[in-house]
Amino acid sequence: DLRNAFPINDRITVKYDEFPDSQIPRTGQQVILQGNFSEYPYATNPGEADMKKYYASLKICGRLRKVKILWADSRYDHLAESVYELRMICRKRLYQVFPDREASVMSALLIGDKSDLDEEIREMYQRNGIIHILSISGLHVTVIGLGAFLLFRKAGMKVESAALSGALVLVLYGVFVGFGITVCRAVGMYLLKILSKLTGRTYDSPTAACFLAALLVCSNPLYLTNAGFLLSFGAVCGAGMIYPVYFQPKGSQRKSVEQTGGGIQDVLCRMGGKIIDWLKQSICLSISISAATLPVLLYFYYEVPVFSALINVVVLPFLSILLFTGLIVMGIPGTGFLGTIDCMILAFYEKLCMLFERIPFQVWNPGCPRTEQIVWYYLILMAGTAGIFFWDRSSDAGTEKNTTGQILKKCRKIAPALLLTVLVIVLAVPDRHGLEVYFLDVGQGDGVILRTTHNRVYLFDFGSTSRNDPGKYVLKPFLKYKGISRVDVITVSHRDADHINGILELLQNSADWGIDVGQILLPYGEGGDYEWMYQEVTNSVKTGGATVFKAEAQDVLRPDDQRDRGIDIEALGTGISWADDGVSFVCLHPDPDGVYSTANASSACFLVCGEGITILFTGDVEKEGEERLIRNIERLQAFLPEDKRRVDILKVPHHGSRYSTGEELLEQIRPAAAVISCGRRNRYGHPHEELLMRLFQTEAETFRTDESGAVTAKINNGRFQIDTFLKKKAGD
């Protein structure tokens, strides 16, 4: 329909496996396609991956699905198609030589194809800080460029001709793997280095990196929001600017081992000295790169591996062998036996990663840094680097003989460590005041996280029937974003998938995600449903590597130092109450001896009071369950003064169903604000117009996750402010 047409100036993605083999378009071919166009989804929760922003940085505006080719031109780009076919031949060769798991890694390493990269390996490399080895980087340029240069020199070419020919080979390799950000940076810096040598100019890697970064940003300003761009150029700045100043002060000379003899002891001594020097250089270089990129890593990934510098020292020497032998196997028939070496190296990488993952505190998760933290970090880093640089320049070697000179020399040695410690503290300072409640956008489902002043974390339901893997794609990123490594208490309102499947994901993957769980509270009163939930939760906990302990009701919230038997699973019902970190919790539903016609009616409901504000969590309670809830609220309110009987924030039951949140309940609690958790354009019609009208008549300010994304309530000293992720409102 041309009336609804709109222009697309950027690229779109289409999966070629949607076409029959005979109809796959060739590179450069003009086609007319018919299909379902959709934009990539934007983030609606803190910490969630913003696919729209990421693909926009690559000038990709959306994707086309269920595609049909209506017309195709016979002309195409023969050279580009030949390069693509060669790439597919190389990929096929890798899968013939290597097992599928190893082939997916070698394909990413050698030709930049990560489409089939094993997810377990990717996450393992990410957790240990070596994911960068799967990107085309400066090491590829060194191996290929230097190798080509030496071959051309062996063939009798002059230095200038061999250098230019090697540069041409690199450009062709860049075309072969696709000129991504890291490839552009690595190849561009190599070409500038060759150009400087041919013209007799001095080459400076930070200057070359800044020049290339400026060119890329001018071509696409959104690169400044791309993690790959920032990390790639940040690593160069760390190696070229921080490392020489911090760990290679001007005028310093490496002391060599005296060659006093030719005996084996002297040879071993010299070799040991060289190895120690190399290890020191490697570790210091890795620390320098980490210092330059740490805020970027935390901003995009929220956590960093503490021992990544040590892991990289072990990994990188073997990477050259892996790359060199892989290129031979891929390009020369009959050399498949060399693939055994690559498989051994990859197996060693996996064992190394698993070894370091057993070390306590292997991952540091302070959460996403605030803008002011990042600004202060780089200001201090630049000021400290400049200070050390000028200190070294102005130091007088003659003063080292007196006491003051000796003291200054010792201070200079520890200055980098002190500065890096200050920088880490800057990023570690939390910014939290009072009680916080997060109503996350999980689509058609519920997910609420409560965080107390002193970092006690409660999870009230988490699940969805409209989003795949809500635990992996919503809950885990949010917890990492907030720097939360432990969920102290999980409550499940009832057995429906849109309230529990994300919780089961967390329990199944808690060890891999690095998130501990303290206790799980299940409502009693559903007959067989309680036993079903208990069995599902138990199986999930055991899959995640933890143990379970079925506790009694009076054991609710035992002190942490008594929780040494695993995860407690406890039954709750009306009347159970406790206090934790200044917040009181009262279970108002279901009655332990109650019989309910539906699981919704038996949903667990909690009244939470903290910082002078009252919040009512209601699950999917409706009909007879809501009637019993009202009676229990009346009994509770009888003991409260008049000014404390109003509920400040209501989590609206059953996603805003027409048959929930009746007038009697609203009159009883008179909420100041109401939060509705529901999916966009859901098939149930939630929230219903009648329900919205009842809330309007009650004068409750209403927030909807389908419109505003995640809803956050910040509570302090009897006042609360509600912010939304996509747009902001406020109330008190």
Side-chain angles (χ1 to χ4, degrees):
D1 186 353
L2 295 180
R3 291 172 298 179
N4 296 323
F6 57 93
I8 295 178
N9 298 319
D10 291 333
R11 295 174 292 178
I12 61 173
T13 58
V14 180
K15 288 187 176 181
Y16 66 85
D17 56 7
E18 294 184 349
F19 304 113
D21 291 340
S22 60
Q23 297 183 14
I24 295 178
R26 297 178 181 271
T27 308
Q29 189 176 18
Q30 292 188 359
V31 294
I32 297 178
L33 304 177
Q34 181 184 41
N36 298 333
F37 175 80
S38 62
E39 295 182 331
Y40 282 98
Y42 50 83
T44 60
N45 295 287
E48 184 180 356
D50 196 326
M51 303 306 293
K52 183 179 179 66
K53 181 185 294 186
Y54 169 74
Y55 280 102
S57 72
L58 303 179
K59 293 188 176 181
I60 298 175
C61 65
R63 53 191 170 185
L64 205 62
R65 294 176 174 174
K66 298 182 179 179
V67 181
K68 294 181 180 179
I69 299 178
L70 303 182
W71 173 83
D73 191 0
S74 59
R75 295 170 295 179
Y76 61 92
D77 189 331
H78 290 270
L79 178 60
E81 180 63 19
S82 299
V83 172
Y84 173 77
E85 290 178 353
L86 176 61
R87 193 180 187 193
M88 292 300 102
I89 291 173
C90 292
R91 183 179 184 275
K92 183 178 180 181
R93 167 74 176 162
L94 291 173
Y95 275 86
Q96 289 173 343
V97 173
F98 297 97
D100 288 349
R101 183 182 174 93
E102 286 74 14
S104 69
V105 178
M106 297 302 295
S107 181
L109 177 67
L110 298 176
I111 64 177
D113 180 12
K114 300 180 182 179
S115 57
D116 294 326
L117 181 61
D118 186 85
E119 183 69 15
E120 182 181 349
I121 291 180
R122 189 196 68 79
E123 292 183 353
M124 180 186 296
Y125 285 10
Q126 179 76 55
R127 291 195 300 269
N128 289 275
I130 61 171
I131 189 67
H132 60 87
I133 70 174
L134 300 180
S135 300
I136 309 297
S137 64
L139 181 61
H140 296 70
V141 171
T142 301
V143 171
I144 296 172
L146 184 60
F149 173 77
L150 293 176
L151 287 176
F152 289 132
R153 285 289 290 157
K154 285 288 185 181
M157 284 188 178
K158 295 181 179 181
V159 174
E160 294 80 3
S161 300
L164 290 174
S165 300
L168 178 61
V169 169
L170 276 180
V171 172
L172 292 176
Y173 180 71
V175 173
F176 175 70
V177 299
F179 266 108
I181 294 173
T182 57
V183 179
C184 287
R185 192 267 305 164
V187 173
M189 291 184 66
Y190 185 88
L191 295 179
L192 288 174
K193 187 173 184 178
I194 295 296
L195 181 62
S196 68
K197 289 185 178 296
L198 295 178
T199 58
R201 308 288 291 181
T202 302
Y203 175 78
D204 177 65
S205 60
T207 303
C210 292
F211 174 74
L212 291 171
L215 289 180
L216 290 173
V217 170
C218 288
S219 67
N220 181 11
L222 289 177
Y223 276 147
L224 292 174
T225 66
N226 186 285
F229 174 88
L230 297 174
L231 291 174
S232 180
F233 285 96
V236 175
C237 292
M241 299 174 67
I242 297 177
Y243 174 69
V245 175
Y246 284 26
F247 304 107
Q248 285 187 333
K250 188 175 181 180
S252 66
Q253 295 181 351
R254 191 178 307 281
K255 295 182 180 179
S256 59
V257 180
E258 294 184 1
Q259 300 183 14
T260 57
I264 188 169
Q265 184 176 357
D266 297 313
V267 173
L268 292 176
C269 185
R270 290 194 296 272
M271 289 180 60
K274 290 181 179 180
I275 292 174
I276 291 174
D277 285 344
W278 174 81
L279 286 173
K280 288 181 179 178
Q281 290 180 42
S282 300
I283 293 175
C284 291
L285 180 61
S286 184
I287 292 173
S288 301
I289 293 173
S290 298
T293 58
L294 181 58
V296 179
L297 284 169
L298 291 179
Y299 183 81
F300 286 98
Y301 304 110
Y302 321 131
E303 61 184 8
V304 292
V306 176
F307 304 106
S308 61
L310 295 177
I311 299 176
N312 277 283
V313 168
V314 181
V315 165
L316 291 180
F318 295 96
L319 186 58
S320 300
I321 302 173
L322 190 66
L323 179 58
F324 182 71
T325 55
L327 289 171
I328 294 176
V329 169
M330 184 177 67
I332 303 177
T335 58
F337 64 93
L338 293 175
T340 304
I341 299 175
D342 297 332
C343 290
M344 292 174 62
I345 294 175
L346 293 177
F348 170 69
Y349 283 177
E350 291 189 35
K351 295 293 185 182
L352 183 68
C353 289
M354 289 188 288
L355 175 64
F356 272 90
E357 286 181 349
R358 296 192 185 101
I359 301 176
F361 310 109
Q362 193 266 347
V363 174
W364 181 45
N365 174 220
C368 182
R370 303 179 302 280
T371 303
E372 59 269 25
Q373 285 179 295
I374 297 176
V375 171
W376 276 111
Y377 181 96
Y378 281 115
L379 286 176
I380 295 173
L381 178 62
M382 290 188 292
T385 304
I388 293 175
F389 176 77
F390 288 111
W391 186 349
D392 291 335
R393 296 268 306 210
S394 61
S395 62
D396 183 5
T399 61
E400 295 182 1
K401 296 180 181 179
N402 55 44
T403 305
T404 304
Q406 292 295 330
I407 294 175
L408 291 175
K409 186 178 180 180
K410 292 180 180 179
C411 291
R412 169 61 182 86
K413 289 182 178 180
I414 65 173
L418 291 176
L419 180 59
L420 293 176
T421 302
V422 171
L423 292 174
V424 170
I425 293 174
V426 168
L427 294 177
V429 175
D431 180 32
R432 294 190 53 254
H433 305 282
L435 180 67
E436 296 174 342
V437 184
Y438 306 94
F439 303 85
L440 298 185
D441 175 23
V442 294
Q444 188 64 18
D446 266 6
V448 184
I449 296 174
L450 181 146
R451 192 179 191 184
T452 69
T453 303
H454 296 98
N455 210 33
R456 296 279 295 176
V457 178
Y458 283 72
L459 179 61
F460 293 89
D461 284 347
F462 210 94
S464 176
T465 54
S466 64
R467 300 187 63 166
N468 295 327
D469 302 324
K472 178 179 180 180
Y473 295 113
V474 180
L475 178 57
K476 175 190 172 184
F478 174 82
L479 295 176
K480 297 292 184 181
Y481 178 87
K482 291 294 182 180
I484 297 173
S485 58
R486 177 181 175 84
V487 177
D488 295 282
V489 180
I490 295 176
T491 70
V492 183
S493 66
H494 62 298
R495 63 172 293 175
D496 287 353
D498 60 338
H499 291 254
I500 196 174
N501 58 17
I503 291 174
L504 299 181
E505 280 186 75
L506 171 62
L507 299 177
Q508 291 165 3
N509 300 281
S510 61
D512 291 336
W513 293 357
I515 300 171
D516 295 329
V517 176
Q519 293 179 292
I520 303 171
L521 312 181
L522 304 178
Y524 194 79
E526 298 187 51
D529 282 349
Y530 169 78
E531 295 299 331
W532 179 91
M533 283 191 293
Y534 176 80
Q535 193 61 48
E536 286 291 304
V537 168
T538 301
N539 293 338
S540 299
V541 169
K542 290 180 178 178
T543 302
T547 57
V548 296
F549 176 79
K550 193 170 184 178
E552 301 298 332
Q554 61 267 25
D555 288 333
V556 173
L557 298 174
R558 296 193 326 276
D560 283 336
D561 57 1
Q562 296 181 22
R563 294 198 196 126
D564 54 0
R565 295 172 292 187
I567 299 175
D568 290 346
I569 302 179
E570 305 165 14
L572 287 182
T574 303
I576 298 294
S577 64
W578 67 93
D580 187 14
D581 194 17
V583 181
S584 62
F585 301 81
V586 180
C587 183
L588 296 175
H589 191 69
D591 297 334
D593 56 351
V595 178
Y596 303 93
S597 59
T598 65
N600 285 349
S602 64
S603 292
C605 300
F606 289 88
L607 191 68
V608 179
C609 301
E611 297 284 344
I613 298 298
T614 305
I615 310 168
L616 180 61
F617 297 107
T618 55
D620 277 356
V621 69
E622 58 182 3
K623 297 182 179 178
E624 72 267 27
E626 188 170 304
E627 293 175 359
R628 299 193 187 192
L629 172 63
I630 293 171
R631 291 199 295 270
N632 291 333
I633 291 176
E634 289 177 345
R635 296 191 187 102
L636 179 64
Q637 289 178 335
F639 296 94
L640 299 175
E642 183 68 28
D643 60 343
K644 298 293 184 181
R645 295 180 181 180
R646 179 175 184 175
V647 169
D648 296 286
I649 303 173
L650 167 68
K651 205 293 293 181
V652 175
H654 201 189
H655 322 291
S657 166
R658 177 182 184 179
Y659 303 105
S660 66
T661 325
E663 293 180 358
E664 186 178 357
L665 175 62
L666 291 175
E667 290 176 0
Q668 188 74 29
I669 62 177
R670 294 172 290 128
V675 181
I676 302 173
S677 178
C678 60
R680 293 167 188 78
R681 297 182 293 276
N682 63 82
R683 61 190 179 93
Y684 306 101
H686 296 158
H688 199 275
E689 289 294 333
E690 291 186 18
L691 178 276
L692 294 175
M693 181 57 66
R694 290 198 292 270
L695 292 174
F696 176 77
Q697 293 173 347
T698 313
E699 298 183 350
E701 189 174 11
T702 304
F703 301 85
R704 298 169 46 173
T705 60
D706 62 329
E707 293 181 346
S708 303
V711 178
T712 301
K714 297 181 178 180
I715 303 165
N716 197 6
N717 295 326
R719 299 175 64 87
F720 69 89
Q721 175 182 326
I722 295 184
D723 299 329
T724 60
F725 188 77
L726 300 181
K727 56 183 179 179
K728 291 194 172 182
K729 299 179 182 180
D732 57 13

